[in-house]
Amino acid sequence: MSVIPFPRRSTAPDLRSGAIPGLDPEVMVGMPHLGFGGLSETWLLKECGHRHWLALAQAAGQQVPDFRDATGAPVYAAFCGVSLANARLDRVAENDTLIFASTLARISATQFVSRHRVRVPDGVVAELELVSVFVKRQVEGRNRSVARVRPEGLPPLDPGEVSRTSALAAALRGGEWDTHMGFARTQAHECARVMLTPCPSQDFNGAHFLYFAAFQAFADRAEWDLLAPPAGTLTLARDLVYHGNIEPGERLAACLLGVRETPGELAHWLRLAREDGTPLADIFTRRALPPIR
């Protein structure tokens, strides 16, 4: 693992203030922010990912994010885990004002966690935790060649910080877990699968990686195809653990490993994988079913 020195300003910003300098904490809601039945989860993940990236830049003393190694090659923050909890996306409507409170902390030599509390004036609509590591491509243009780098010049490790999302990601990658969100590791079996082909213009980001916010969209597409829930089904909670990335043009399999339906709620465990079976992400989801009319 290489060490990347990033320049620091003499006075570090307050990463726990709840506000990211230069970024408005309020967002006026319009059609770009909405989906069927409420706030768009895809937009929300993208927005929190953007705030995470800007917070890292602020912590490194950068006016705009521009992380590079000693050779000038770009260095990126790749998400290894994302958690959405206490979601009430149906409470958000056109012309509402979303209010973001965001913090950032260093939780290991390579990992940073941002937390985002999102509310409208009358209550909280979502709480998110995003965990990232810095990575660089070892082979230019090859997404499978990414490797972690350890940054220098960013705030030191906070020994008091504990991240549930980071712990979950480590447990799933190591196979050291028993149950999560009501699903048991030893009872996993493929109920069904659907093949998906990510589109470069829609699902990849400006760094040419399959965008982290596209993974949950694939989970919703697979749910719609395999389980046919009613329109207006909305996420209550979702945990995503990322294992890898793909190249443009590659296909992926969305494998349903467990499903549970109770009155008013649908829960499932999906695994996204390359066609050769290499895992790309594990996604655990709880969804609220709309009332029967």
Side-chain angles (χ1 to χ4, degrees), residues 26-46:
E26 296 188 357
V27 174
M28 182 75 168
V29 175
M31 287 301 155
H33 313 95
L34 296 170
F36 198 111
L39 185 65
S40 164
E41 185 182 352
T42 300
W43 175 85
L44 181 61
L45 290 187
K46 289 181 178 181

Side-chain angles (χ1 to χ4, degrees), residues 92-106:
V92 182
E94 188 177 7
N95 301 323
D96 282 345
T97 297
L98 291 177
I99 306 164
F100 285 79
S102 303
T103 62
L104 179 75
R106 188 173 193 163

Side-chain angles (χ1 to χ4, degrees), residues 250-262:
E250 289 188 290
R251 302 180 75 206
L252 58 83
C255 308
L256 185 63
L257 299 183
V259 61
R260 181 180 68 251
E261 185 169 349
T262 56

Side-chain angles (χ1 to χ4, degrees), residues 127-247:
E127 294 177 324
L128 299 98
E129 184 172 275
L130 287 70
V131 177
S132 73
V133 295
F134 280 100
V135 300
K136 61 173 288 187
R137 289 184 178 94
Q138 296 178 302
V139 179
E140 186 176 355
R142 289 287 294 172
N143 289 343
R144 295 196 193 191
S145 73
V146 296
R148 289 192 186 193
V149 295
R150 190 176 68 196
E152 287 187 345
L154 279 162
L157 173 67
D158 185 338
E161 280 290 343
V162 176
S163 166
R164 168 191 167 277
T165 305
S166 176
L168 174 65
L172 261 67
R173 289 197 191 94
E176 298 176 351
W177 64 286
D178 295 320
T179 62
H180 183 65
M181 213 177 278
F183 295 100
R185 177 178 60 84
T186 57
Q187 295 178 3
H189 67 282
E190 187 173 311
C191 311
R193 73 162 51 194
V194 62
M195 298 303 299
L196 303 168
T197 304
C199 173
S201 66
Q202 296 295 317
D203 302 316
F204 287 74
N205 62 17
H208 300 173
F209 289 109
L210 186 62
Y211 201 19
F212 85 101
F215 287 71
Q216 66 83 24
F218 292 138
D220 282 359
R221 292 189 185 110
E223 174 194 271
W224 182 252
D225 198 350
L226 299 174
L227 301 175
T233 300
L234 291 173
T235 302
L236 295 169
R238 191 175 330 244
D239 289 329
L240 302 98
V241 172
Y242 303 90
H243 304 298
N245 215 276
I246 62 173
E247 315 295 341

